[in-house]
């Protein structure tokens, strides 16, 4: 590689000059290549510790002039071949020219100019890519690839100098963090350490300091714990490791593979030694934090942030904080937590103007909105640039019709001061033709069906209770008035100033008239609804009338959703719930529908119209409670882990007791998944939901801790889980909301009473107040950090559970032990995951469907199977192994979708490793019959197939017909009704009943297939210790079987017909004899004709390899004579003798080229040439052999029996496979180079 000329001092230090001329030196690094001794070890250590580029490029060319002491590096190379090429170019193109110059400075200038020119020419085509990553970083990536054998697609994110603790000894080296791996390399005085860990294998990441280790990072996998320390910036390293492990967990969880973000803004200044990927990941982390803080849509990307102050009119102060600008929003967060948060959607902005600076207020900026609010920012460092960015984003923002947000809110939710809406029957005109709040057009979701609720169901189904006129009604009015005053001071709608005062009002309970409005605001659902007008209506239209598993589950749960509430005791409420849940299932098929969603959605519908409830559900499932409602409720399990951790921290006495009782796992799922709605009286639980939409999951954890704390004494005296659950259930049942104006709804858990004592009531507002007093120091950032840690643990334990269930499911029918199956599963899964990130991402990802059973989730294709087969098979056949692997794959792939699952994979492996000789031979036999033997591999594929269809058992044919009939029935059933589970039950029953295949069920083998089998056996024995014995044995068996097949023809065909066939054999097959190989001719002549030779006393065992050539010649000569010697004309004795002779000859022929099987043309007939040329006229289509005959013949040879009954340890094979799989070098550059010379 040519280098931009760099000055080099002390050219001789650590380098050896190998070639020189008056102007250039070619040097090699000391210690690289042969020898090196102690100096080489020292230099190698220095190179690793100092991260010298000589690790990658141990050769270089320097330019020098005779009188100058300064050298210039002009080229470097990783191999002698590369550097020699550069050296020769310099000698051929520059030496002559340079000798003309008189002035040495001119020589140097000319050389530098020439080298710069070459580099510019080389980089012309690669300019766009080369700007992405700095040169030093590219060099590090090159080192990583070379050191660990990684392919081009594996991207390096960053690398750090650190120490790895091996025992109590620190090994200084370099830690490379790639998208899919953590790698470490150290070389100290000949002692080398190479580590490679996949992120998907990491079970725990911790940053801690102990007495033994200074501040260090601990990386745990299932097998080991690794400690790294002495980082320059441990926090940055740890954060990046967390991010990469998190991406890997997402890949395991929902199959999202890492895709680089190409739309990142280019840095204004070139960043030194930071890769584009690192910038990408940093931007992702900032975006996630920004979106979570301000509850913004998932596609919102932060453009930048800057320090500033915000004038807050409610307290007449300039509050210091940060302004954040993104594509569609301007946000502000004060430095003092909760002093003030502000979100200004750009769609609301009308004017952005720079005000005059003053010494009191430098660089002020005012932003006005459509709702007549003006926000005043000051102390902006780069105001002009900021205004330019905001105006750019404003130009891209789609214009909306100007309408005041106050009016919009009031239209939607009713004036807070207006009278109650009277109860409406479901057939009322208002309910029949609602109007969308967003675009004033009628929305008829499904004509002729049940009408849509245009507002919260609570307004339609509220009973005229006296509560509205009593003290509770007065309290409700006071709450509404408090909020109206708050709106007047702090603003209303999305641009409201959110402060500690807002939180206090939320804690006191949101008035029922404002609940829907404020839920939409605080959750951020309002933003998504406004920016997607008509989206919900379209979804409902598309999803109505369609059936799938999700819609079936929804139908089943509709009448279980708050059945005690009058809103869901009639078709209006039920239909609204059906539409919202179905629309969401179609929006997000990965979640579809999960139990508990119905309970939450039914409560949302009480306070919001359908569209608003839908967008609130989106905010809940996709942002506020991530991964809660997927098939494995991962999010809830993660937060359950956090709850356990917080219990240990805040309630240490209770924590141990709860662990012993196993209560936390039971309670937390029901509490978290339904936000307490299923365990508390409705009026109380709704107040919890109010606070949740404002505070997020932090509040749910806070209240959960307060509940445990309140019941601590009773729980400590519990004896079992049931007792603890009863105590908590009774407590939650008696959490009351005395301020509720709604009539109380009977609660299902109210049956939990004990004795005659009236239960003690707990006020919900007191409980909330206590939770803030005792546990308010929980921070949202800390919870996110804990979520990451728990997510690693939860997903890895789910993966372990999946592994155990898969292994348990297949272990009954397979010969492998549980341990072997678990190891095979790990290897199988790793191969699948590798294809996700090193192969074609999308194709591999598309194969994994989370809704399928665990067994079906990971499936591999033929190429991946070949890799695994080659490394794990006990039947290694050299270059023939991939062919055998392809055949086994086709045999295992019963549904012909070109993918096999784990059960099919281990079934194939077990056939080779377990069972007796018969079972193993049966597998080998099947590999040489269709469908395993593909048409391309044999000349007479059609003949072979027709042969099979004649021999195939009637039972198999009936099974096929049965399958077809069932598939037709299944299609009919699917077309008219939801999926019929009875079909699957029938299939399952049939699988259980399937009888064991016997050797009689196997079809016969044609001559061509038999030749392929012999070829495989020859290749299989090629590197065996008893190779010669095996060759001799298989040759004996092969010749015997060829004779048996020949004799078999006598019984299968009519005598006259057979005689004619033999006489006219050559005229029937038009292919000329020249085209078929001589040895195949000789084989055929041995099989079909009887040469005049007398070997009466010989037996198959008497064959001598020494006689092979002479006898083969005899066979060759016999090929042209005696065309018609029908078998039936010979006496029994003669037949016996001739069989002996023929066997003997075939042994010889088979033994001819046993050293070089590739040239064996007797039995290895399918190497090279066209199919016609390969076989010519030698294949006899009437010839056939059965499995019993092959088995019986093989049993006569001890060597063959021993070979197939030999035990092979698959665990050792797996261990070797893991080393080979990643192709990671196990020796240093120095050792490698010394081997290669």
């Amino acid at each position: 590689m040519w280098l931009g000329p760099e000055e080099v001092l002390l050219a001789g230090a650590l380098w050896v000059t190998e070639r020189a001329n008056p102007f250039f030196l070619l040097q090699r690094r000391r210690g690289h290549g042969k020898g090196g001794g102690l100096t080489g070890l020292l230099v190698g250590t220095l190179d690793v510790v100092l991260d010298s580029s000589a690790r990658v490029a141990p050769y270089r060319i320097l330019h020098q002039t005779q009188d100058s002491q300064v050298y210039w590096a002009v080229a470097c190379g990783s191999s002698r071949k590369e550097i020699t090429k550069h050296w020769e170019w310099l000698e051929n193109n520059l030496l002559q020219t340079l000798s003309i110059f008189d002035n040495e400075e001119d020589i140097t200038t000319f050389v530098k100019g020439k080298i710069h020119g070459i580099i510019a020419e080389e980089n012309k085509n690669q300019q766009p890519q080369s700007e992405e990553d700095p040169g030093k970083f590219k060099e590090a990536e090159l080192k990583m690839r070379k050191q660990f054998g990684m392919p081009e697609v594996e991207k390096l994110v960053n690398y750090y100098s650190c120490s790895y603790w091996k025992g109590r000894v620190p090994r200084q080296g370099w830690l490379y963090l790639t998208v899919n791996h953590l790698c470490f390399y150290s070389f100290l005085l000949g002692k080398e350490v190479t580590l490679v860990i996949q992120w998907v294998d990491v079970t725990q990441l911790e940053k801690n300091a102990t007495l033994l280790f200074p501040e260090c990072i601990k990386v745990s996998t299932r097998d080991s714990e690794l400690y790294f320390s002495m980082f320059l910036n441990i926090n940055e390293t740890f954060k990046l490791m967390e991010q990469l492990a998190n991406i890997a967990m997402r890949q395991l969880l929902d199959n999202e593979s890492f895709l680089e973000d190409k739309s990142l803004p280019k840095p204004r200044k070139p960043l030194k030694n930071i890769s584009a990927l690192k910038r990408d990941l940093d931007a992702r982390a900032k975006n996630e934090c920004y979106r979570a803080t301000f509850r913004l849509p998932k596609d919102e990307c932060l453009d930048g942030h800057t320090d500033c102050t915000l004038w807050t009119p409610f307290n007449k102060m300039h509050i210091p904080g940060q302004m954040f600008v993104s594509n569609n929003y301007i946000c502000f967060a004060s430095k003092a937590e909760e002093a003030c948060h502000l979100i200004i959607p750009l769609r609301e902005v009308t004017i952005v103007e720079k005000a005059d600076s003053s010494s009191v207020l430098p660089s002020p900026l005012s932003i006005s909105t459509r709702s007549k609010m003006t926000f005043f920012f000051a102390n902006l460092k780069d105001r002009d640039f900021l205004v330019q960015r905001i105006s750019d984003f404003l130009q891209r923002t789609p214009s909306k019709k100007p309408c005041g947000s106050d009016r919009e809110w009031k239209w939607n939710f009713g004036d807070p001061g207006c009278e109650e809406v009277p109860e409406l029957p479901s057939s009322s005109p208002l309910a029949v033709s609602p109007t969308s709040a967003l675009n004033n057009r009628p929305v008829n979701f499904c004509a002729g069906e049940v009408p849509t609720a245009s507002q919260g169901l609570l307004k339609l189904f509220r009973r005229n209770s006296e509560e509205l006129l009593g003290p509770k009604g007065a309290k409700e009015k006071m709450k509404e008035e408090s909020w109206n005053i708050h709106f007047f001071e702090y603003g209303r709608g999305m641009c409201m100033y959110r402060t500690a005062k807002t939180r206090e009002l939320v804690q006191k309970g949101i008035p029922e008239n404002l609940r829907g409005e404020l839920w939409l605001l605080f959750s951020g659902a309002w933003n998504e609804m406004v920016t997607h007008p008509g989206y919900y209506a379209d979804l409902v239209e598309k999803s109505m009338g369609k059936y799938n598993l999700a819609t079936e589950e929804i139908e089943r749960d509709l009448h279980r959703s708050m059945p005690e509430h009058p809103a869901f005791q009639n078709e209006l409420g039920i239909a609204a719930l059906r539409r919202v849940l179905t629309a969401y299932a179609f929006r997000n098929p990965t979640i579809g529908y999960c139990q508990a969603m119905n309970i939450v959605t039914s409560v949302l519908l009480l306070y919001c119209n359908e569209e608003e409830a839908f967008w609130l559900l989106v905010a809940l499932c996709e942002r506020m409670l991530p991964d809660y409602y997927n098939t494995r409720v991962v999010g809830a399990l993660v937060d359950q882990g956090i709850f356990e951790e917080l219990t240990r921290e805040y309630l240490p006495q209770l924590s141990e007791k709860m662990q012993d009782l196993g209560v936390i796992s039971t309670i937390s799922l029901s509490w978290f998944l339904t936000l307490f709605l299923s365990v508390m009286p409705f009026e109380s639980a709704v107040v919890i939901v109010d606070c949740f939409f404002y505070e997020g999951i932090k509040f749910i954890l806070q209240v959960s801790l307060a509940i445990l704390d309140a019941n601590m004494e009773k729980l400590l005296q519990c004896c079992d889980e049931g007792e603890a659950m009863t105590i908590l259930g009774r407590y939650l049942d008696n959490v009351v909301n005395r301020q509720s104006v709604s009539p109380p709804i009977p609660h299902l858990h109210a049956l939990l009473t004990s004795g005659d004592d009236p239960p003690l009531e707990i006020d919900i507002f007191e409980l909330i107040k206590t939770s803030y007093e005792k546990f308010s120091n929980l921070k949202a950032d800390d919870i996110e950090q804990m979520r990451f840690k728990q997510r690693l643990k939860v997903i890895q334990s789910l993966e372990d559970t999946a592994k155990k269930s898969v292994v348990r499911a297949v272990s009954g029918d397979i010969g492998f032990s549980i341990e072997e199956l678990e190891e095979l599963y790990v290897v199988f899964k790793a191969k699948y995951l590798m294809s996700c990130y090193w192969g074609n991402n999308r194709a591999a990802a598309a194969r994994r469907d989370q809704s399928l059973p665990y067994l079906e989730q990971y499936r591999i294709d033929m190429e991946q199977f070949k890799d695994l087969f080659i490394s794990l098979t006990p039947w290694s056949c050299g270059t023939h192994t991939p062919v055998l692997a392809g055949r086994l794959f086709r045999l295992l792939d019963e549904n012909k979708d070109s993918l096999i699952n784990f059960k099919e994979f281990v079934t194939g492996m077990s056939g080779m490793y377990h069972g007796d000789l018969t079972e193993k031979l049966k597998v080998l036999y099947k590999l040489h019959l269709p469908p395993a033997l593909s048409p391309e591999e044999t000349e007479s594929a059609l003949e072979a197939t027709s042969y099979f269809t004649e021999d195939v058992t009637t039972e198999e044919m009936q099974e096929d017909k049965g399958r077809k009939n069932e598939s037709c029935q299944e299609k009919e059933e699917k077309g008219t009704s939801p999926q019929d589970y009875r079909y699957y039950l029938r299939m399952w029953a049939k699988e259980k009943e399937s009888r064991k295949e016997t050797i009689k069920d196997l079809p016969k083998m044609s001559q061509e297939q038999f030749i392929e089998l012999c070829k495989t056996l020859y290749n299989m024995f090629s590197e065996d210790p008893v190779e010669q014995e095996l060759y001799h044995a298989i040759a004996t068996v092969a010749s015997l079987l060829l004779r048996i097949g020949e004799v078999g023809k006598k019984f299968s065909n009519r005598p006259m017909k057979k005689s004619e066939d033999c006489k006219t054999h050559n005229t029937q097959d038009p292919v000329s004899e020249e085209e078929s190989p001589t040895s195949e001719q000789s084989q055929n002549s041995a099989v079909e004709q009887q040469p005049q030779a007398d070997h009466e006393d010989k037996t198959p065992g008497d064959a001598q390899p020494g006689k092979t050539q002479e006898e083969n010649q005899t066979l060759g000569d016999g090929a042209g004579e005696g065309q018609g010697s029908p078998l039936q004309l010979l006496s029994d004795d003669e037949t016996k003798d001739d069989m002996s002779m023929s066997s003997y000859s075939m042994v010889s022929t088979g033994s001819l080229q046993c050293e070089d099987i590739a040239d064996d043309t007797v039995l290895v007939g399918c190497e090279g040439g066209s199919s016609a040329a390969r076989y010519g006229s030698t294949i006899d289509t009437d010839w056939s052999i059965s499995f019993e005959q092959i088995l019986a013949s093989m049993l006569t040879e001890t060597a063959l029996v021993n070979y197939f009954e030999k035990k092979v340890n698959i665990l050792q094979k797996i261990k070797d496979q893991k080393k080979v799989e990643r192709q990671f070098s196990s020796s240093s550059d120095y050792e490698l180079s010394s081997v290669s010379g």
Side-chain angles (χ1 to χ4, degrees), residues 22-83:
F23 303 106
F24 297 103
L25 300 174
L26 189 156
Q27 296 187 322
R28 172 178 55 81
R29 189 73 164 174
R30 283 185 193 278
H32 184 86
K34 292 174 184 173
L38 183 60
T39 320
L41 291 178
L42 286 167
V43 174
T45 303
L46 273 173
D47 284 347
V48 169
V49 173
L50 302 175
D51 195 32
S52 162
S53 57
R55 281 177 57 208
V56 177
Y59 296 96
R60 70 179 183 185
I61 296 174
L62 301 180
H63 163 65
Q64 62 142 11
T65 50
Q66 286 177 348
D67 299 333
S68 170
Q69 296 302 309
V70 180
Y71 293 83
W72 298 87
V74 294
C76 67
S78 58
S79 65
R80 191 179 292 277
K81 186 179 175 185
E82 184 187 351
I83 206 72

Side-chain angles (χ1 to χ4, degrees), residues 7 143 169 215 288 357-358 389 425 462 516 538 571 657 673 868 877 893 957 983 1051 1076 1111 1181 1189 1198 1201:
E7 204 170 298
K143 285 175 197 161
V169 183
E215 195 175 27
E288 279 166 22
S357 285
S358 67
R389 292 301 291 163
R462 181 177 288 161
D538 293 343
E571 196 52 37
K657 181 74 174 176
L673 275 171
L868 285 177
C877 302
D893 182 22
M957 288 173 74
Y983 165 74
F1051 301 105
S1076 64
E1111 281 149 9
T1181 53
Q1189 290 167 325
T1198 315
V1201 173

Side-chain angles (χ1 to χ4, degrees), residues 217-230:
I217 294 173
K218 175 184 167 191
V219 180
S220 305
T221 65
R222 289 178 179 84
D223 314 318
S224 59
E225 291 181 351
L226 311 170
Y227 293 88
F228 299 95
S229 67
M230 298 186 197

Side-chain angles (χ1 to χ4, degrees), residues 275-294:
S275 68
L277 263 179
K278 174 77 168 71
R279 282 180 51 233
D280 181 347
L281 288 168
D282 289 346
R284 281 172 194 233
K286 284 179 183 170
N287 284 336
E288 279 166 22
C289 183
Y290 170 62
R291 288 193 292 259
T293 307
F294 299 105

